[in-house]
């Protein structure tokens, strides 16, 4: 097995070529922005657990173990300890307690085309004066001011693939004591992310992390970091931050009854009861991504995306997502969507754009299949 040094600190034990053999993706699947097909080890583990469920052959804690395994692996992926990672089913659900802890009249600043799941959890608090203000992503840092209570933004934008200037936004937020919430759903798995740089990092695992739908993570600051915060607004906020969906799983995993309440320590108190089988499919996928290393995946994904861009005559970029306005597609490559369908290229449309995602299971032949279909190269 090849050993490759990975600058993120992980040791890559798998090359991209070795990892790719774990996927059974049949077409030029360029739709990781919508969902990520599983590696075989994730699929097999999931099927085994479904068989066990059908036969009633194992006790449920065996499946639930995958939650803690996934928590630990995700923590390693984004550079925080497992006890700073809460698990849930969806980004919007995990954000709800953060939004509820905001004071009346708080201002939430977001990029203007941010995905709804990161907007509505805040917008629903309008009745108590919580305001959502928007600004273009490329000037989001400049838009932070004294009135900003919290900044929410995606590391890579869902509709455009644009990669945020995370350090600039965090530093602008810090200057005014605003909370930072980073959405890594379109980034974790290909873009190196450091959760310890922000207050919260929310990630749904069913896209670039190649997990089944129904698993998501939220990282939170450690109690020590919270205690060290000097801004009075921070202390008040963290006092108000409550695990609003606490149930038996928030107590640490064993079924329990009645009072007194014993919530688990740390972020685990924010866990919701797990969708067992989805978690069984999540842990092996995370393990595989860590074995390859995010830096290696990043280089591979960007190279493929840029091969596609260059082939279309577009400028290179720093994103694994290539997004082209439908109006431009209509003018430059009329009929491209039909030709892509005919060539069985899987891509998606979002926010008036055609969106292509390039991930570790793709190779240059996928890019060329899509390029030929868009430009009609083969018949030109
Ligand atoms: C940036 C971003 N965040 C979150 C989500 C998913 O949100 P949820 O888990 O609430 O469905 C998506 C899905 O497309 C997304 O693109």
């Amino acid at each position: 097995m090849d050993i490759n040094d990975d600058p993120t600190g992980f040791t890559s034990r798998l090359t991209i070529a070795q990892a790719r053999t774990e996927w059974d993706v049949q077409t030029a699947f360029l739709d990781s922005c919508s969902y990520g097909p599983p590696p075989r080890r994730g699929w097999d583990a999931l099927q085994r657990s479904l068989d066990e469920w059908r036969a009633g052959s194992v006790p449920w804690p065996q499946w639930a173990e995958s939650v803690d395994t996934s928590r630990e692996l995700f923590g390693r992926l984004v550079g925080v300890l497992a006890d700073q990672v809460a698990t849930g089913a969806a980004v919007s659900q995990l954000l709800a307690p953060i939004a509820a802890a905001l004071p009346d009249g708080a201002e939430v600043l977001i990029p203007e085309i941010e995905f709804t799941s990161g907007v509505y959890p805040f917008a629903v608090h309008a009745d108590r004066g919580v305001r959502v203000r928007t600004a273009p992503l490329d000037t989001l840092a400049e838009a932070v001011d004294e009135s900003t209570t919290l900044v929410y933004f995606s590391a890579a934008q869902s509709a455009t693939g644009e990669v945020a200037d995370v350090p600039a936004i965090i530093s602008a937020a810090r200057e005014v004591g605003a909370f930072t919430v980073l959405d890594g759903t379109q980034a974790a798995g290909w873009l190196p992310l450091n959760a310890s740089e922000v207050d919260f990092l929310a990630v749904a695992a069913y896209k670039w992390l190649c997990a089944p739908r129904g698993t998501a993570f939220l990282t939170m600051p450690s109690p020590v970091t919270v205690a060290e915060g000097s801004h009075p607004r921070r202390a008040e906020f963290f006092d108000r931050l409550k695990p609003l969906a606490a149930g038996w799983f928030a107590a640490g995993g064993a079924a329990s009854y009645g009072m007194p309440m014993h919530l688990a320590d740390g972020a685990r108190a924010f866990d919701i009861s797990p969708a067992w089988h989805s978690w069984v499919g999540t842990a092996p996928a995370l393990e595989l991504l860590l074995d390859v290393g995010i830096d290696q995946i990043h280089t591979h994904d960007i190279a493929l995306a840029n091969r596609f861009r260059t082939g279309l005559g577009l400028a290179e970029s720093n994103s694994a997502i290539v997004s082209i306005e439908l109006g431009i597609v209509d003018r430059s490559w009329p009929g491209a969507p039909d030709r892509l369908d005919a060539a069985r290229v899987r891509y998606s449309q979002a926010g008036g754009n055609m969106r292509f995602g390039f991930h570790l299971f793709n190779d240059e032949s996928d890019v060329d299949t899509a390029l030929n279909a868009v430009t009609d190269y083969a018949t030109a």
Side-chain angles (χ1 to χ4, degrees):
M1 195 174 281
D2 286 352
I3 303 289
N4 306 302
D5 283 330
D6 183 325
T8 56
F10 301 120
T11 303
S12 303
R13 293 194 290 132
L14 284 179
T15 62
I16 295 280
Q18 287 167 328
R20 286 190 67 237
T21 63
E22 286 225 25
W23 268 270
D24 297 312
V25 176
Q26 286 180 12
T27 54
F29 179 89
L30 303 178
D31 200 10
S32 296
C33 304
S34 299
Y35 70 94
R40 198 165 307 114
R41 66 178 84 176
W43 173 258
D44 288 347
L46 176 61
Q47 300 316 307
R48 269 195 307 277
S49 78
L50 291 173
D51 276 343
E52 290 160 358
W53 175 42
R54 183 168 58 175
S57 59
V58 303
W60 63 264
Q62 204 164 304
W63 304 320
E65 276 172 18
S66 297
V67 180
D68 276 337
T69 310
S70 302
R71 189 196 317 276
E72 208 264 315
L73 292 170
F74 181 78
R76 277 176 50 202
L77 194 77
V78 299
V80 292
L81 297 171
D83 63 8
Q84 286 174 252
V85 181
T87 65
V91 163
S92 34
Q93 166 249 316
L94 285 163
L95 295 177
I98 301 174
L102 287 173
D104 292 355
E107 179 193 278
V108 178
L109 177 67
I110 59 161
E112 58 191 1
I113 47 160
E114 190 57 58
F115 186 70
T116 320
S117 283
V119 183
Y120 286 4
F122 302 104
V124 295
H125 289 275
D127 59 337
R128 56 186 191 86
V130 173
R131 287 166 295 119
V132 177
R133 177 161 68 92
T134 64
L137 180 66
D138 58 357
T139 53
L140 196 67
E142 290 79 24
V144 176
D145 64 26
E146 289 294 334
S147 63
T148 310
T149 318
L150 182 148
V151 187
Y152 182 92
F153 63 108
S154 283
Q157 281 290 317
S158 163
T160 63
E162 200 181 345
V163 175
D165 184 347
V166 179
I169 297 167
I170 293 172
S171 129
R174 275 214 189 111
E175 256 177 53
V176 296
F179 302 99
T180 46
V181 188
L182 183 63
D183 185 325
T185 304
Q186 295 291 358
W190 69 267
L191 186 66
L193 295 174
N194 182 352
S196 64
E197 289 174 350
V198 285
D199 291 309
F200 302 93
L201 168 70
V203 172
Y206 69 100
K207 296 176 189 284
W208 301 85
L209 296 180
C210 304
R213 186 51 149 139
T215 64
F217 301 95
L218 178 74
T219 70
M220 307 178 124
S222 71
V224 178
T225 316
V226 170
E228 280 168 2
S230 53
H231 203 288
R233 181 155 78 184
R234 295 186 73 82
E236 251 171 63
F237 170 86
F238 282 106
D239 274 352
R240 288 163 54 107
L241 184 65
K242 301 269 186 285
L244 296 179
W248 69 276
F249 203 71
S256 58
Y257 299 88
M259 290 294 279
M261 177 170 77
H262 293 293
L263 287 176
D265 289 334
R268 211 183 173 315
F270 289 75
D271 281 10
I272 59 163
S273 304
W276 292 320
H277 305 287
S278 291
W279 285 103
V280 168
T282 297
L286 290 172
E287 180 194 64
L288 174 57
L289 295 172
L290 278 167
D291 275 355
V292 182
I294 298 304
D295 266 46
Q296 205 184 169
I297 300 172
H298 180 249
T299 305
H300 173 83
D301 290 10
I302 299 286
L304 293 184
N306 279 338
R307 181 182 177 93
F308 188 56
R309 288 171 183 283
T310 308
L312 294 178
L314 304 172
E316 292 196 348
S317 96
N318 59 354
S319 183
I321 301 168
V322 179
S323 184
I324 314 167
E325 277 174 39
L326 279 168
I328 295 177
V329 174
D330 278 349
R331 282 196 300 281
S332 307
W333 305 284
D338 289 342
R339 289 198 301 278
L340 284 162
D341 287 346
R344 300 183 64 225
V345 176
R346 293 256 353 98
Y347 69 101
S348 46
Q349 297 196 2
N353 300 311
M354 264 174 123
R355 199 176 53 161
F356 303 83
F358 297 87
H359 208 5
L360 78 166
F361 44 75
N362 294 124
D363 68 2
E364 293 183 349
S365 73
D366 294 327
V367 178
D368 295 344
T369 302
L371 269 179
N372 289 343
V374 174
T375 61
D376 209 12
Y377 175 81
T379 57

